């Protein structure tokens, strides 16, 4: 895990957007932004990802699920992960980015 965290550290990706930095921090269980993301939920039927910042009551951001997956996979592509690290990173993403109950088709 430390190799994975090292390969995904923000200093390696100076052009990363603040939102993507917050997502990486959330998935890794680290605080990379202020405020940080407290929760990410996905509505599969709508293909929308909802973000809740730490300290916020409701969801205040959204993005396309396809875009989020594409951006995560692009990051993994350029991070130089070996197959085991990539598998671990994908599993962490799937665990942290939860589906909203009742939205599955």
């Amino acid at each position: 895990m430390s190799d994975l965290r090292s390969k995904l550290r923000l200093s390696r990706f100076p052009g990363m957007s603040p939102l993507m930095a917050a997502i990486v921090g959330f998935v890794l269980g680290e605080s990379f932004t202020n405020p940080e993301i407290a929760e990410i939920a996905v509505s599969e039927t709508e293909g929308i990802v909802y973000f809740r910042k730490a300290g916020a009551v409701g969801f205040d951001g959204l993005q396309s699920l396809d875009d989020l997956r594409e951006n995560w996979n692009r990051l993994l592509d350029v991070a130089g992960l070996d197959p085991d690290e990539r598998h671990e990173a994908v599993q962490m993403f799937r665990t942290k980015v939860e589906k909203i109950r009742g939205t599955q088709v």
Side-chain angles (χ1 to χ4, degrees):
M1 174 76 111
S2 62
D3 286 341
L4 177 60
R5 287 183 191 282
S6 175
K7 289 181 180 179
L8 293 177
R9 71 183 180 277
L10 296 185
S11 62
R12 294 189 65 214
F13 308 99
M16 184 182 292
S17 74
L19 176 59
M20 194 62 192
I23 292 166
V24 173
F26 177 77
V27 170
L28 295 178
E30 308 257 340
S31 179
F32 292 153
T33 58
N34 186 11
E36 62 189 50
I37 292 176
E39 181 179 4
I40 299 176
V42 177
S43 171
E44 285 284 341
T45 57
E46 298 171 328
I48 297 175
V49 179
Y50 299 92
F51 301 97
R52 184 175 62 80
K53 295 176 188 171
V57 174
F59 291 97
D60 54 5
L62 54 103
Q63 180 177 4
S64 154
L65 176 58
D66 289 339
D67 288 347
L68 179 59
R69 284 182 179 149
E70 185 177 319
N71 289 337
W72 182 255
N73 285 316
R74 238 187 273 144
L75 173 64
L76 301 184
D77 288 344
V78 299
L81 306 181
D82 67 34
D84 290 336
E85 291 167 335
R86 186 178 186 100
H87 178 75
E88 182 180 0
V90 168
Q91 289 306 109
M92 290 173 68
F93 181 86
R94 287 183 178 161
T95 299
K96 292 290 228 160
V97 180
E98 300 180 33
K99 294 178 183 163
I100 299 173
R101 290 185 199 136
T103 62
Q104 287 78 12
V105 179

Coordinates of all heavy atoms in Angstrom, one line a residue, residues 5-72:
R5 N 0.5 4.4 -2.5 CA 0.3 5.8 -2.0 C 1.4 6.7 -2.6 O 1.2 7.8 -2.9 CB 0.3 5.9 -0.5 CG -0.9 5.3 0.1 CD -0.9 5.5 1.6 NE -2.0 4.7 2.3 CZ -3.3 5.1 2.3 NH1 -3.6 6.3 1.8 NH2 -4.2 4.4 2.9
S6 N 2.6 6.2 -2.6 CA 3.7 6.9 -3.1 C 3.6 7.2 -4.6 O 3.8 8.4 -5.0 CB 5.0 6.1 -2.9 OG 6.1 6.8 -3.5
K7 N 3.1 6.3 -5.4 CA 2.9 6.5 -6.8 C 1.7 7.4 -7.1 O 1.7 8.0 -8.2 CB 2.7 5.1 -7.5 CG 4.0 4.3 -7.5 CD 3.8 3.0 -8.3 CE 5.1 2.3 -8.3 NZ 4.9 0.9 -9.0
L8 N 0.8 7.5 -6.2 CA -0.4 8.4 -6.4 C -0.3 9.8 -5.7 O -1.2 10.5 -5.7 CB -1.7 7.7 -6.0 CG -2.1 6.5 -6.8 CD1 -3.3 5.8 -6.2 CD2 -2.3 6.8 -8.3
R9 N 0.9 10.0 -5.1 CA 1.1 11.3 -4.3 C 0.9 12.5 -5.3 O 1.3 12.5 -6.4 CB 2.4 11.3 -3.6 CG 3.6 11.5 -4.4 CD 4.9 11.4 -3.6 NE 6.0 11.5 -4.4 CZ 6.6 10.6 -5.1 NH1 6.1 9.3 -5.0 NH2 7.7 10.8 -5.9
L10 N 0.3 13.5 -4.7 CA 0.0 14.7 -5.6 C 1.2 15.4 -6.2 O 1.1 16.0 -7.3 CB -0.8 15.7 -4.7 CG -2.2 15.2 -4.2 CD1 -2.9 16.3 -3.5 CD2 -3.0 14.7 -5.4
S11 N 2.3 15.4 -5.5 CA 3.5 16.1 -6.0 C 4.0 15.5 -7.4 O 4.6 16.2 -8.1 CB 4.7 16.0 -5.0 OG 5.0 14.7 -4.8
R12 N 3.6 14.3 -7.7 CA 3.9 13.7 -9.0 C 3.0 14.2 -10.1 O 3.3 14.0 -11.3 CB 3.8 12.2 -8.9 CG 4.8 11.5 -8.0 CD 4.7 10.0 -8.1 NE 5.2 9.6 -9.5 CZ 4.7 8.6 -10.1 NH1 3.8 7.8 -9.6 NH2 5.2 8.3 -11.4
F13 N 1.9 14.9 -9.8 CA 0.9 15.3 -10.7 C 0.5 16.8 -10.5 O -0.6 17.1 -10.1 CB -0.3 14.4 -10.7 CG 0.0 13.0 -10.7 CD1 0.0 12.2 -9.6 CD2 0.3 12.4 -12.0 CE1 0.3 10.9 -9.6 CE2 0.6 11.0 -12.0 CZ 0.6 10.3 -10.9
P14 N 1.5 17.7 -10.8 CA 1.2 19.1 -10.5 C 0.1 19.7 -11.2 O -0.5 20.7 -10.8 CB 2.5 19.8 -10.9 CG 3.2 18.9 -11.8 CD 2.8 17.5 -11.4
G15 N -0.4 19.2 -12.3 CA -1.5 19.7 -13.1 C -2.8 19.1 -12.7 O -3.9 19.5 -13.3
M16 N -2.9 18.3 -11.6 CA -4.1 17.7 -11.2 C -5.1 18.8 -10.7 O -4.7 19.7 -9.9 CB -3.9 16.7 -10.1 CG -5.1 15.9 -9.7 SD -4.8 14.7 -8.4 CE -3.7 13.5 -9.2
S17 N -6.3 18.6 -11.1 CA -7.4 19.6 -10.6 C -7.6 19.4 -9.1 O -7.4 18.3 -8.6 CB -8.7 19.4 -11.4 OG -9.3 18.2 -10.9
P18 N -8.1 20.5 -8.4 CA -8.4 20.3 -7.0 C -9.5 19.3 -6.7 O -9.4 18.6 -5.7 CB -8.9 21.7 -6.7 CG -8.3 22.6 -7.6 CD -8.2 21.9 -8.9
L19 N -10.4 19.1 -7.6 CA -11.5 18.1 -7.4 C -10.8 16.7 -7.5 O -11.1 15.9 -6.7 CB -12.6 18.2 -8.5 CG -13.6 17.1 -8.4 CD1 -14.3 17.1 -7.0 CD2 -14.7 17.3 -9.5
M20 N -10.0 16.5 -8.5 CA -9.3 15.2 -8.6 C -8.4 14.9 -7.4 O -8.4 13.8 -6.9 CB -8.6 15.0 -9.9 CG -8.2 13.6 -10.3 SD -9.6 12.6 -10.5 CE -8.9 11.0 -10.5
A21 N -7.7 15.9 -7.0 CA -6.9 15.8 -5.8 C -7.7 15.4 -4.6 O -7.3 14.5 -3.8 CB -6.1 17.1 -5.5
A22 N -8.9 16.0 -4.4 CA -9.8 15.6 -3.3 C -10.3 14.2 -3.5 O -10.4 13.5 -2.5 CB -11.0 16.6 -3.3
I23 N -10.6 13.8 -4.7 CA -11.0 12.4 -4.9 C -9.9 11.4 -4.6 O -10.2 10.4 -3.9 CB -11.5 12.2 -6.4 CG1 -12.8 13.1 -6.6 CG2 -11.7 10.8 -6.7 CD1 -13.2 13.2 -8.0
V24 N -8.7 11.7 -5.0 CA -7.6 10.8 -4.7 C -7.4 10.7 -3.2 O -7.2 9.6 -2.6 CB -6.3 11.2 -5.4 CG1 -5.1 10.4 -5.0 CG2 -6.5 11.1 -6.9
G25 N -7.4 11.9 -2.5 CA -7.3 11.9 -1.1 C -8.4 11.1 -0.4 O -8.2 10.3 0.5
F26 N -9.6 11.2 -0.9 CA -10.8 10.5 -0.3 C -10.6 9.0 -0.5 O -10.7 8.2 0.5 CB -12.1 10.9 -1.0 CG -13.3 10.2 -0.5 CD1 -13.9 10.4 0.7 CD2 -13.8 9.2 -1.3 CE1 -15.0 9.7 1.1 CE2 -15.0 8.5 -0.9 CZ -15.5 8.8 0.3
V27 N -10.2 8.6 -1.7 CA -10.0 7.1 -2.0 C -8.9 6.5 -1.1 O -9.0 5.4 -0.6 CB -9.8 6.9 -3.5 CG1 -9.4 5.4 -3.7 CG2 -11.1 7.2 -4.3
L28 N -7.8 7.3 -1.0 CA -6.7 6.8 -0.2 C -6.8 7.0 1.3 O -6.0 6.6 2.1 CB -5.4 7.5 -0.7 CG -5.0 7.3 -2.1 CD1 -3.7 8.1 -2.4 CD2 -4.7 5.8 -2.3
G29 N -7.9 7.7 1.7 CA -8.1 8.0 3.1 C -7.1 9.0 3.7 O -6.7 9.0 4.8
E30 N -6.7 10.0 2.8 CA -5.8 11.1 3.1 C -6.5 12.4 3.0 O -7.5 12.5 2.3 CB -4.6 11.0 2.2 CG -3.9 9.7 2.1 CD -2.6 9.6 2.9 OE1 -2.1 10.7 3.2 OE2 -2.2 8.5 3.2
S31 N -6.0 13.4 3.6 CA -6.5 14.8 3.4 C -5.6 15.6 2.5 O -4.5 16.0 3.0 CB -6.7 15.4 4.8 OG -7.2 16.7 4.6
F32 N -6.0 15.7 1.3 CA -5.2 16.5 0.3 C -5.7 17.9 0.0 O -5.0 18.7 -0.6 CB -5.1 15.7 -1.0 CG -4.3 14.4 -1.0 CD1 -4.6 13.4 -1.8 CD2 -3.3 14.3 0.0 CE1 -3.8 12.2 -1.8 CE2 -2.6 13.1 0.0 CZ -2.9 12.1 -0.9
T33 N -7.0 18.2 0.4 CA -7.6 19.4 0.1 C -8.3 19.9 1.4 O -8.6 19.2 2.3 CB -8.6 19.3 -1.0 OG1 -9.6 18.4 -0.7 CG2 -7.9 18.9 -2.3
N34 N -8.7 21.2 1.4 CA -9.4 21.8 2.4 C -10.5 22.7 1.8 O -10.2 23.7 1.2 CB -8.6 22.6 3.3 CG -9.3 23.1 4.6 OD1 -10.4 22.7 4.8 ND2 -8.7 24.0 5.3
P35 N -11.8 22.3 1.9 CA -12.3 21.1 2.6 C -12.0 19.8 1.8 O -11.9 19.9 0.6 CB -13.8 21.4 2.8 CG -14.1 22.2 1.6 CD -12.9 23.0 1.3
E36 N -12.0 18.7 2.5 CA -11.8 17.4 1.9 C -13.2 16.9 1.6 O -14.2 17.3 2.1 CB -11.0 16.5 2.8 CG -11.6 16.2 4.1 CD -10.7 15.5 5.0 OE1 -9.6 15.9 5.2 OE2 -11.2 14.4 5.6
I37 N -13.2 15.8 0.8 CA -14.5 15.1 0.5 C -14.8 14.2 1.6 O -13.9 13.4 2.1 CB -14.4 14.4 -0.8 CG1 -14.3 15.3 -2.0 CG2 -15.6 13.4 -1.0 CD1 -14.1 14.6 -3.4
A38 N -16.0 14.3 2.1 CA -16.4 13.4 3.2 C -17.2 12.2 2.7 O -17.2 11.1 3.3 CB -17.3 14.2 4.2
E39 N -17.8 12.3 1.5 CA -18.6 11.2 1.0 C -18.8 11.4 -0.5 O -18.9 12.5 -1.0 CB -20.0 11.2 1.7 CG -20.9 10.1 1.3 CD -22.3 10.2 2.0 OE1 -22.5 11.2 2.7 OE2 -23.1 9.3 1.8
I40 N -18.7 10.2 -1.2 CA -19.1 10.2 -2.6 C -20.1 9.1 -2.8 O -20.0 8.0 -2.3 CB -17.8 9.8 -3.4 CG1 -16.7 10.9 -3.3 CG2 -18.2 9.7 -4.9 CD1 -15.4 10.5 -4.0
A41 N -21.2 9.5 -3.5 CA -22.3 8.5 -3.7 C -22.6 8.6 -5.2 O -22.5 9.6 -5.9 CB -23.5 8.9 -2.9
V42 N -23.0 7.4 -5.7 CA -23.3 7.3 -7.1 C -24.7 6.8 -7.4 O -25.2 5.9 -6.8 CB -22.3 6.2 -7.8 CG1 -22.6 6.0 -9.2 CG2 -20.9 6.6 -7.5
S43 N -25.4 7.5 -8.3 CA -26.7 7.1 -8.8 C -26.5 6.4 -10.1 O -26.2 7.1 -11.1 CB -27.6 8.3 -9.0 OG -28.8 7.9 -9.6
E44 N -26.5 5.1 -10.1 CA -26.2 4.3 -11.3 C -27.2 4.6 -12.4 O -26.9 4.6 -13.6 CB -26.1 2.8 -11.0 CG -24.9 2.4 -10.3 CD -23.7 2.3 -11.2 OE1 -23.8 2.3 -12.5 OE2 -22.5 2.3 -10.7
T45 N -28.5 4.8 -12.0 CA -29.5 5.0 -13.1 C -29.3 6.3 -13.8 O -29.7 6.5 -14.9 CB -30.9 4.9 -12.5 OG1 -31.1 5.8 -11.4 CG2 -31.2 3.5 -12.0
E46 N -28.8 7.3 -13.1 CA -28.6 8.6 -13.7 C -27.2 8.8 -14.2 O -26.9 9.8 -14.9 CB -28.9 9.7 -12.6 CG -30.3 9.7 -12.1 CD -30.5 10.6 -11.0 OE1 -29.6 10.8 -10.2 OE2 -31.6 11.2 -10.9
G47 N -26.3 7.9 -13.8 CA -24.9 8.1 -14.2 C -24.2 9.3 -13.6 O -23.4 9.9 -14.2
I48 N -24.7 9.7 -12.3 CA -24.2 10.9 -11.7 C -23.5 10.5 -10.4 O -24.0 9.7 -9.6 CB -25.3 11.9 -11.4 CG1 -25.9 12.4 -12.8 CG2 -24.8 13.1 -10.7 CD1 -27.1 13.3 -12.6
V49 N -22.4 11.2 -10.1 CA -21.7 11.1 -8.9 C -21.9 12.3 -8.0 O -21.8 13.4 -8.5 CB -20.1 10.9 -9.1 CG1 -19.4 10.8 -7.8 CG2 -19.9 9.7 -10.0
Y50 N -22.3 12.1 -6.8 CA -22.5 13.2 -5.9 C -21.4 13.3 -4.8 O -21.0 12.3 -4.3 CB -23.9 13.0 -5.1 CG -25.0 13.0 -6.1 CD1 -25.5 11.8 -6.6 CD2 -25.7 14.1 -6.4 CE1 -26.6 11.7 -7.4 CE2 -26.8 14.1 -7.3 CZ -27.2 12.9 -7.8 OH -28.3 12.8 -8.6
F51 N -20.9 14.5 -4.5 CA -19.9 14.8 -3.6 C -20.4 15.6 -2.4 O -21.2 16.5 -2.6 CB -18.7 15.6 -4.2 CG -18.1 14.9 -5.4 CD1 -18.5 15.3 -6.7 CD2 -17.1 14.0 -5.2 CE1 -17.9 14.7 -7.8 CE2 -16.6 13.4 -6.4 CZ -17.0 13.7 -7.6
R52 N -20.0 15.2 -1.2 CA -20.3 15.9 0.0 C -19.0 16.3 0.7 O -18.2 15.5 1.0 CB -21.2 15.2 1.0 CG -21.6 16.0 2.2 CD -22.5 15.3 3.1 NE -22.0 14.1 3.7 CZ -21.1 14.1 4.7 NH1 -20.8 15.2 5.3 NH2 -20.7 12.9 5.2
K53 N -18.8 17.6 0.8 CA -17.5 18.1 1.5 C -17.6 17.9 3.0 O -18.7 17.9 3.6 CB -17.3 19.6 1.2 CG -17.1 19.9 -0.3 CD -16.9 21.4 -0.5 CE -16.9 21.7 -2.0 NZ -17.0 23.1 -2.2
A54 N -16.5 17.8 3.6 CA -16.5 17.6 5.1 C -17.1 18.9 5.7 O -16.8 20.0 5.3 CB -15.0 17.5 5.5
G55 N -18.0 18.6 6.6 CA -18.7 19.7 7.3 C -20.0 20.2 6.6 O -20.7 20.9 7.2
A56 N -20.2 19.7 5.4 CA -21.4 20.1 4.7 C -22.6 19.2 5.1 O -22.4 18.0 5.4 CB -21.2 20.0 3.2
V57 N -23.8 19.7 5.0 CA -25.0 18.9 5.4 C -25.4 18.0 4.2 O -25.7 16.8 4.3 CB -26.1 19.8 5.8 CG1 -27.4 19.0 6.0 CG2 -25.7 20.5 7.1
G58 N -25.5 18.6 3.0 CA -25.9 17.8 1.8 C -24.9 17.7 0.8 O -23.7 18.2 1.0
F59 N -25.2 17.1 -0.3 CA -24.3 17.0 -1.4 C -24.2 18.3 -2.2 O -25.3 18.9 -2.4 CB -24.7 15.8 -2.4 CG -24.6 14.5 -1.7 CD1 -25.7 13.8 -1.1 CD2 -23.4 13.8 -1.8 CE1 -25.5 12.6 -0.6 CE2 -23.2 12.6 -1.2 CZ -24.3 12.0 -0.6
D60 N -23.0 18.7 -2.5 CA -22.9 20.0 -3.1 C -22.1 20.0 -4.4 O -21.7 21.0 -4.9 CB -22.3 21.0 -2.2 CG -21.0 20.6 -1.6 OD1 -20.5 19.5 -2.0 OD2 -20.5 21.3 -0.7
G61 N -21.8 18.8 -4.9 CA -21.1 18.8 -6.2 C -21.5 17.5 -6.9 O -22.0 16.6 -6.3
L62 N -21.4 17.6 -8.2 CA -21.7 16.4 -9.0 C -20.9 16.3 -10.2 O -20.3 17.3 -10.7 CB -23.2 16.3 -9.3 CG -23.8 17.5 -10.0 CD1 -24.0 17.2 -11.5 CD2 -25.2 17.8 -9.4
Q63 N -20.8 15.1 -10.8 CA -20.0 14.8 -11.9 C -20.5 13.6 -12.6 O -21.2 12.8 -12.0 CB -18.5 14.6 -11.6 CG -17.6 14.4 -12.7 CD -16.1 14.3 -12.3 OE1 -15.8 14.3 -11.1 NE2 -15.3 14.1 -13.2
S64 N -20.2 13.4 -13.9 CA -20.6 12.2 -14.6 C -19.8 11.0 -14.1 O -18.6 11.1 -13.9 CB -20.3 12.4 -16.1 OG -20.1 11.2 -16.7
L65 N -20.5 9.9 -13.8 CA -19.8 8.7 -13.4 C -18.8 8.2 -14.4 O -17.7 7.8 -14.1 CB -20.8 7.6 -13.1 CG -20.3 6.2 -12.7 CD1 -19.4 6.3 -11.5 CD2 -21.4 5.2 -12.6
D66 N -19.2 8.3 -15.7 CA -18.2 7.9 -16.8 C -17.0 8.8 -16.7 O -15.8 8.3 -16.9 CB -18.9 8.0 -18.1 CG -19.9 7.0 -18.4 OD1 -19.9 5.9 -17.7 OD2 -20.8 7.2 -19.2
D67 N -17.1 10.1 -16.5 CA -16.0 11.0 -16.5 C -15.1 10.6 -15.3 O -13.8 10.6 -15.4 CB -16.4 12.4 -16.4 CG -17.0 13.0 -17.7 OD1 -16.8 12.3 -18.7 OD2 -17.6 14.1 -17.7
L68 N -15.7 10.4 -14.1 CA -14.9 10.1 -12.9 C -14.1 8.8 -13.1 O -12.9 8.7 -12.8 CB -15.8 10.0 -11.7 CG -15.1 9.6 -10.4 CD1 -14.1 10.6 -10.0 CD2 -16.1 9.5 -9.3
R69 N -14.8 7.8 -13.7 CA -14.1 6.5 -13.9 C -12.9 6.7 -14.9 O -11.8 6.1 -14.7 CB -15.0 5.4 -14.4 CG -15.9 4.9 -13.4 CD -16.8 3.8 -14.0 NE -17.7 3.2 -12.9 CZ -18.9 2.8 -13.2 NH1 -19.4 2.8 -14.4 NH2 -19.6 2.2 -12.2
E70 N -13.2 7.4 -16.0 CA -12.2 7.7 -17.0 C -11.0 8.4 -16.4 O -9.8 8.1 -16.6 CB -12.8 8.5 -18.1 CG -11.8 8.7 -19.3 CD -12.5 9.4 -20.4 OE1 -13.6 9.1 -20.8 OE2 -11.8 10.3 -21.0
N71 N -11.3 9.5 -15.6 CA -10.2 10.2 -14.9 C -9.4 9.4 -14.0 O -8.2 9.5 -13.9 CB -10.7 11.4 -14.2 CG -11.2 12.5 -15.2 OD1 -10.8 12.5 -16.3 ND2 -12.1 13.3 -14.7
W72 N -10.1 8.5 -13.2 CA -9.4 7.6 -12.2 C -8.5 6.7 -13.0 O -7.3 6.5 -12.7 CB -10.4 6.9 -11.4 CG -9.7 6.0 -10.4 CD1 -9.6 4.6 -10.4 CD2 -9.1 6.4 -9.2 NE1 -9.0 4.2 -9.3 CE2 -8.6 5.2 -8.5 CE3 -8.8 7.6 -8.6 CZ2 -7.9 5.2 -7.3 CZ3 -8.1 7.6 -7.4 CH2 -7.7 6.5 -6.8

